[in-house]
Amino acid sequence: SGSRPARPPHVGAGSGGIVVRSVGGLGNASAWSRAARWRRGPAVVAAAAAASLGALGGGRRNCSTQGRGPSAAMLCGGADDRAAASWGSELPFLYGTAWKKEATTDLVLQAVRAGFRGIDTACQPKHYREDLVGKALAVLAREGVERDQLWLQTKFTPLRGQDPNDIPYDENAPLRVQVEQSIAKSLYNLGTSRIDSLVLHSPLPTLEETLEVWGVFEKAVDAGQVGQLGISNCYDPPTFKALYEKARIKPKVLQNRFYKDSGYDVELRAYCLEKGVTYQTFWTLNANPHILSADPVVRAASRLGATQPQVLFRWLIQSGHQPLTGTKSPEHMKQDLQAVTMQLSTAEMSEIGGLFCQQGGNGCAVS
């Protein structure tokens, strides 16, 4: 069905294609190339992953990536920190762990056993149980799913986004120290020596403060603690572009709520495709019942024998983006992963993409 349990709006819950005239999402050759890569590799890999996951409980799989390319890296993990960071951009989906509370461990286990390999969390006890993600990782390791077979993304949440009664760092410390303490806490919570993707949960009030945090992030990359960097809840194109231009280590992720109020980030999504930044979506279903029930989505679902949520997820994946799903339903987990192997026609991509132009109401003719 097209409905999922609603979650209240909040900063960073998600975890959270560009529609262009004739191609339903991709405005230039490089963007088309990136989307084509998403259509070929991840679909094949996800199908192989789903087929092989029945043996997860029976011991470690013999994974060798030599000579097997990015597809093997998706299943087996990268050979080093850089590879581990980069293969995350090839994953068609991430499993989001916001609002899972005490059920976090069990739901992460279900998601990985179903076929997910990317996990999104945050060092923000208000909305995430990062420590329980770590417990799930420990269980998976005992089942044979080693750390390099998973891609972990977490976030530093500024003070204003924290519960004042449960702050995971010293609220009176300088900003730089707060970031350092948060990274250390994440490594401890997750029981790992590296974070594949570290995301700033939201821009700070000034660009200078945002860049101060980013500088600490960059040092963590230099030290080998972090593979790549990103930012979330950044809906202002000049702010994101300024960060991209001024950062020594460029953002590789922009994670935003995918909803009408932001105009569906038309300009930002185009910029991400141009710069090779992975645009991640959260609140994708709950914010868009009008999209799920729209005629182009219903028609595509009927043709594919799919659900409307599968079609929306497929449109995003085929457009070169990376949706998060935070479903608690084992059935929906399987359905979401099945969307990876589906294929929308060019006409369907354009018609569905046009819905976001109509709803967003600005800047849809991106060239």
Side-chain angles (χ1 to χ4, degrees):
S1 70
S3 62
R4 298 282 179 89
R7 296 182 181 86
H10 63 284
V11 172
S15 333
I18 297 303
V19 184
V20 194
R21 298 178 183 88
S22 62
V23 295
L26 302 167
N28 54 46
S30 64
W32 269 110
S33 174
R34 185 167 184 258
R37 172 163 53 83
W38 280 79
R39 288 196 295 269
R40 290 194 305 270
V44 174
V45 171
S52 67
L53 284 173
L56 281 180
R60 182 175 185 272
R61 286 180 290 117
N62 181 18
C63 262
S64 172
T65 61
Q66 186 173 2
R68 293 169 59 194
S71 296
M74 284 181 63
L75 284 173
C76 301
D80 54 31
D81 290 347
R82 182 174 298 177
S86 64
W87 69 268
S89 66
E90 301 290 339
L91 291 168
F93 265 113
L94 297 183
Y95 184 70
T97 62
W99 296 96
K100 303 300 188 290
K101 300 183 179 180
E102 288 76 15
T104 298
T105 297
D106 184 58
L107 288 167
V108 170
L109 291 173
Q110 289 184 42
V112 173
R113 289 165 182 164
F116 288 92
R117 283 296 177 265
I119 301 168
D120 175 88
T121 186
C123 193
Q124 184 198 30
K126 181 179 180 180
H127 292 143
Y128 294 81
R129 287 297 304 271
E130 190 182 47
D131 58 321
L132 296 185
V133 174
K135 287 189 176 182
L137 300 179
V139 173
L140 289 165
R142 292 194 294 271
E143 295 181 359
V145 185
E146 296 190 354
R147 171 65 182 84
D148 282 349
Q149 295 170 245
L150 299 171
W151 192 81
L152 301 182
Q153 177 169 278
T154 192
K155 308 178 192 77
F156 163 72
T157 305
L159 195 58
R160 63 180 179 171
Q162 300 283 1
D163 178 349
N165 297 313
D166 195 3
I167 301 171
Y169 48 77
D170 182 358
E171 63 180 306
N172 297 312
L175 180 58
R176 172 187 58 79
V177 175
Q178 291 178 0
V179 179
E180 292 171 348
Q181 291 177 348
S182 180
I183 294 171
K185 183 70 169 179
S186 289
L187 292 168
Y188 176 80
N189 282 342
L190 296 170
T192 186
S193 62
R194 74 168 188 280
I195 296 162
D196 296 312
S197 181
L198 178 63
V199 171
L200 174 56
H201 217 154
S202 63
L204 279 83
T206 68
L207 179 60
E208 290 71 22
E209 290 172 298
T210 298
L211 290 173
E212 182 180 355
V213 171
W214 204 262
V216 181
F217 278 20
E218 290 174 331
K219 290 179 180 178
V221 174
D222 295 338
Q225 293 178 314
V226 172
Q228 68 176 35
L229 305 177
I231 190 169
S232 182
N233 296 290
C234 182
Y235 301 95
D236 179 54
T239 298
F240 183 72
K241 291 177 181 180
L243 172 61
Y244 189 91
E245 291 166 2
K246 291 180 179 295
R248 174 172 61 87
I249 298 177
K250 307 299 183 186
K252 288 293 185 181
V253 163
L254 173 60
Q255 182 186 110
N256 276 352
R257 186 178 305 175
F258 190 65
Y259 71 144
K260 181 180 178 180
D261 289 0
S262 68
Y264 292 102
D265 283 343
V266 168
E267 182 179 348
L268 280 169
R269 290 187 289 120
Y271 187 78
C272 285
L273 288 171
E274 176 188 346
K275 297 296 185 180
V277 177
T278 299
Y279 179 85
Q280 298 175 349
T281 73
F282 67 89
W283 223 40
T284 308
L285 301 183
N286 291 329
N288 294 295
H290 54 295
I291 298 293
L292 293 171
S293 62
D295 286 345
V297 174
V298 173
R299 286 195 299 268
S302 177
R303 181 186 71 80
L304 292 168
T307 66
Q308 287 109 298
Q310 284 176 315
V311 170
L312 178 52
F313 282 139
R314 180 60 212 174
W315 186 86
L316 287 163
I317 293 168
Q318 200 164 319
S319 293
H321 305 319
Q322 188 178 58
L324 277 72
T325 178
T327 181
K328 299 177 182 178
S329 162
E331 179 184 1
H332 287 158
M333 289 179 186
K334 293 176 183 177
Q335 288 176 353
D336 292 347
L337 288 171
Q338 288 166 358
V340 177
T341 60
M342 295 176 179
Q343 186 74 19
L344 294 170
S345 69
T346 301
E348 288 168 334
M349 287 292 294
S350 181
E351 289 174 0
I352 294 169
L355 297 172
F356 302 113
C357 283
Q358 295 166 16
Q359 297 294 330
N362 58 7
C364 290
V366 178
S367 59

